[in-house]
Amino acid sequence: VRNGLVCSQPAVAPQSTNALERFASTRADKQAAVARDFFEKNEKSGRPMSPHLTIYSPQLTSMLSITHRGTGIALTCAIYGGSIYLMSAHHGANATDFTTLVEGIKAMQLPAAVPFVAKMAVTFPMMFHSFNGVRHLAWDSGKGFEMKKLYQTGWVVLALAIGTSAPLCI
């Protein structure tokens, strides 16, 4: 029943007269076909989906890049999380100050390695991200892209990050 009348033919959606809509649907169909062909070809040949992580050995440059991103994310989360904690935790009956927290940690009588590792978990990302950020600023000026310089500056960043973090944690 259509418009109150009984019809023997099914209702057919009118074709779009909008050229942009026709172009978009045609383009989407083509992209879907290309993607389907790509996945079928990889499946038939037994290729992994993302071989870049499984066929290349880790290099200093790639590991430093991943570490730079990871430390940036960790520092951002720590800053926001710490700020939220400080804004919310120091009000009401459970309010504690910094000295009370330090005394509580001392009362646990942890081995010396535990606080050192905990402090390194805070200071190393900050130092590494700072020193590697300076390295990135040098790259922004167009300097240090030779392969030898990339490795030299990478080792310098690691040495500086460890060398400045460790004394702060003792």
Side-chain angles (χ1 to χ4, degrees):
V1 176
R2 200 176 330 144
N3 296 334
L5 302 172
V6 176
C7 298
S8 60
Q9 295 180 348
V12 177
Q15 274 202 341
S16 173
T17 55
N18 183 341
L20 182 60
E21 287 177 11
R22 283 195 315 264
F23 172 76
S25 68
T26 303
R27 183 160 175 82
D29 291 343
K30 287 180 183 176
Q31 287 175 339
V34 168
R36 187 178 53 252
D37 291 344
F38 171 79
F39 289 117
E40 286 174 0
K41 184 174 76 172
N42 277 348
E43 193 173 304
K44 285 178 188 174
S45 65
R47 293 181 192 155
M49 185 53 64
S50 297
H52 65 283
L53 295 177
T54 58
I55 64 172
Y56 295 115
S57 61
Q59 300 171 348
L60 177 69
T61 51
S62 62
M63 294 298 105
L64 291 178
S65 175
I66 291 167
T67 305
H68 187 75
R69 292 166 196 227
T71 56
I73 292 168
L75 290 169
T76 301
C77 291
I79 288 170
Y80 281 109
S83 299
I84 291 168
Y85 170 77
L86 290 173
M87 287 187 294
S88 63
H90 292 295
H91 302 289
N94 295 330
T96 57
D97 59 1
F98 184 72
T99 55
T100 307
L101 292 172
V102 170
E103 292 303 321
I105 292 171
K106 283 183 182 178
M108 289 187 226
Q109 297 180 347
L110 299 169
V114 174
F116 179 81
V117 170
K119 291 176 189 177
M120 278 296 279
V122 173
T123 58
F124 178 78
M126 188 171 292
M127 293 298 149
F128 176 82
H129 199 78
S130 298
F131 289 123
N132 206 43
V134 172
R135 184 175 176 226
H136 277 264
L137 289 174
W139 291 347
D140 289 344
S141 68
K143 297 180 176 150
F145 284 114
E146 303 81 29
M147 194 57 71
K148 185 177 177 182
K149 282 281 188 202
L150 286 172
Y151 277 87
Q152 285 175 343
T153 58
W155 286 114
V156 167
V157 163
L158 275 177
L160 285 171
I162 293 169
T164 56
S165 297
L168 291 172
C169 298
I170 295 176

